[in-house]
């Protein structure tokens, strides 16, 4: 497997995220495209729950997230985003990070994240695929860098040999700058995330949509109106209207029994 960035339909990707602005590989373009991606393509794991696996070659990624208007999780989002950034002229390094939620510091490297260098110099942490309380815009890649958007706040800092991203008081993940990863590394990490019975992605139905001022999660919809997702047509409508996820009714019917396990 190679990155195969030449296979990306850049115009279709930019149309999918609603970006019709500048394409120069500047920090301003990076911020605009990052935010557009996060607020346009939802975070979800429905194919994992349906037992269909998650291929992460570029053709599969753009077919799912761009053409079929689905969402995905970190490997899907950030590998697609990395290809788009490289086509725009940015220098991108792909990393695998260790999730630190709950203070568990020695989990395997399974989260995909990126560092990006624009044309004017400098370096940024970019991550459009964390879900939860992940970044909406990129952060300058320096110790102590912070960002705030409404009630959300992030901080990037050093923790020994690691760079750690925090959302408020919660450590999200950490990685080593000097360990860029290669396609085979992502294949292994993605296989674990998509298939292991110990992976949270195989145990729960996850769906989240980020807007500039809120995050909508499937568990919130279930608490507010469980009846809305009690039938396959109802679930199709909620996924389409609330999350921007296009799902056939037959797939929704398979998901219904698993919704009871949503966190």
């Amino acid at each position: 497997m190679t990155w195969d960035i030449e296979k990306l339909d850049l115009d279709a990707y930019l149309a999918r995220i609603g970006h019709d602005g500048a394409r120069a590989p500047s920090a301003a373009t990076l911020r605009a495209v990052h935010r557009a991606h996060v607020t346009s393509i939802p975070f979800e794991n429905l194919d994992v729950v349906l037992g269909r696996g998650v291929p992460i070659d570029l053709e599969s990624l753009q077919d799912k997230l761009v053409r079929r208007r689905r969402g995905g999780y970190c490997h899907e989002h950030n590998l697609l985003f990395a290809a788009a950034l490289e086509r725009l002229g940015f220098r991108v390094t792909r990393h695998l990070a260790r999730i630190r939620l709950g203070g568990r510091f020695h989990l395997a490297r399974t989260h995909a994240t990126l560092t990006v260098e624009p044309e004017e110099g400098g370096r940024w942490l970019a991550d459009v695929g964390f879900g939860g309380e992940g970044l909406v815009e990129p952060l300058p890649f320096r110790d102590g860098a912070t960002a705030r958007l409404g009630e959300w706040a992030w901080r990037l800092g050093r923790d020994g040999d690691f760079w750690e991203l925090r959302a408020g008081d919660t450590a999200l993940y950490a990685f080593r700058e000097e360990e860029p990863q290669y396609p085979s590394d992502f294949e292994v990490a993605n296989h674990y995330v998509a298939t292991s019975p110990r992976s949270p992605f195989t145990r729960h139905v996850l769906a989240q949509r980020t807007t500039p001022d809120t995050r909508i999660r499937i568990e919130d919809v279930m608490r507010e109106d469980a009846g809305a997702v009690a039938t396959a047509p109802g679930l199709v409508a909620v996924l389409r209207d609330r999350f921007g996820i296009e799902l056939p009714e037959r797939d929704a019917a398979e998901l219904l029994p698993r919704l009871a396990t949503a966190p």
Side-chain angles (χ1 to χ4, degrees):
M1 175 185 172
T2 63
W3 301 125
D4 290 334
I5 67 169
E6 71 280 355
K7 295 182 178 179
L8 178 70
D9 185 338
L10 182 61
D11 289 338
Y13 168 78
L14 294 175
R16 169 73 169 101
I17 66 173
H19 178 78
D20 57 3
R23 296 193 181 191
S26 65
T29 299
L30 173 61
R31 287 193 298 270
V33 175
H34 192 290
R35 185 179 181 124
H37 184 120
V38 170
T39 57
S40 298
I41 305 182
F43 181 90
E44 50 111 327
N45 71 332
L46 305 185
D47 280 356
V48 172
V49 178
L50 290 167
R52 294 177 182 169
V54 179
I56 56 173
D57 62 282
L58 187 57
E59 181 55 37
S60 295
L61 295 179
Q62 65 179 340
D63 177 62
K64 180 183 178 184
L65 276 67
V66 177
R67 300 188 191 111
R68 293 193 284 124
R69 303 187 70 82
R70 287 283 306 280
Y73 57 46
C74 66
H75 297 277
E76 299 171 277
H77 278 278
N78 280 321
L79 293 181
L80 177 66
F81 189 55
L85 292 178
E86 288 182 330
R87 288 288 304 278
L88 287 168
F90 292 92
R91 183 177 176 181
V92 180
T93 303
R94 298 157 178 85
H95 304 273
L96 286 170
R98 300 179 189 275
I99 298 295
R100 285 191 165 182
L101 291 175
R104 296 166 296 176
F105 298 150
H106 301 292
L107 298 178
R109 293 179 297 183
T110 57
H111 175 65
T113 190
L114 311 170
T115 52
V116 182
E117 298 175 45
E119 61 183 354
E120 66 265 39
R123 200 172 182 198
W124 297 74
L125 176 69
D127 188 346
V128 295
F130 188 80
E133 305 304 324
L135 293 173
V136 177
E137 295 185 356
L139 267 177
F141 196 73
R142 63 172 183 265
D143 191 13
T146 61
R148 178 174 290 276
L149 183 63
E151 297 181 355
W152 306 329
W154 301 272
R155 184 183 187 280
L156 179 66
R158 296 301 301 245
D159 181 14
D161 294 334
F162 289 87
W163 286 91
E164 180 184 74
L165 178 66
R166 303 181 71 89
D169 295 329
T170 302
L172 300 184
Y173 60 80
F175 66 99
R176 286 181 171 172
E177 177 185 1
E178 67 276 11
E179 289 186 321
Q181 307 298 308
Y182 301 98
S184 57
D185 299 308
F186 282 91
E187 287 282 4
V188 171
N190 182 64
H191 178 74
Y192 173 85
V193 172
T195 65
S196 172
R198 299 181 64 182
S199 167
F201 292 93
T202 63
R203 301 196 302 267
H204 306 293
V205 175
L206 304 173
Q208 176 180 299
R209 181 180 180 185
T210 297
T211 71
D213 56 4
T214 190
R215 299 185 195 265
I216 305 167
R217 299 176 174 88
I218 189 68
E219 56 266 34
D220 298 329
V221 174
M222 292 175 63
R223 281 194 297 268
E224 295 165 5
D225 185 5
V229 293
T231 66
L235 180 56
V236 167
V238 165
L239 290 173
R240 181 190 63 237
D241 299 339
R242 300 292 299 275
F243 298 94
I245 296 171
E246 300 287 349
L247 196 72
E249 189 171 316
R250 64 180 180 276
D251 291 346
E254 287 189 47
L255 287 172
L256 284 176
R258 300 293 298 273
L259 278 177
T261 66

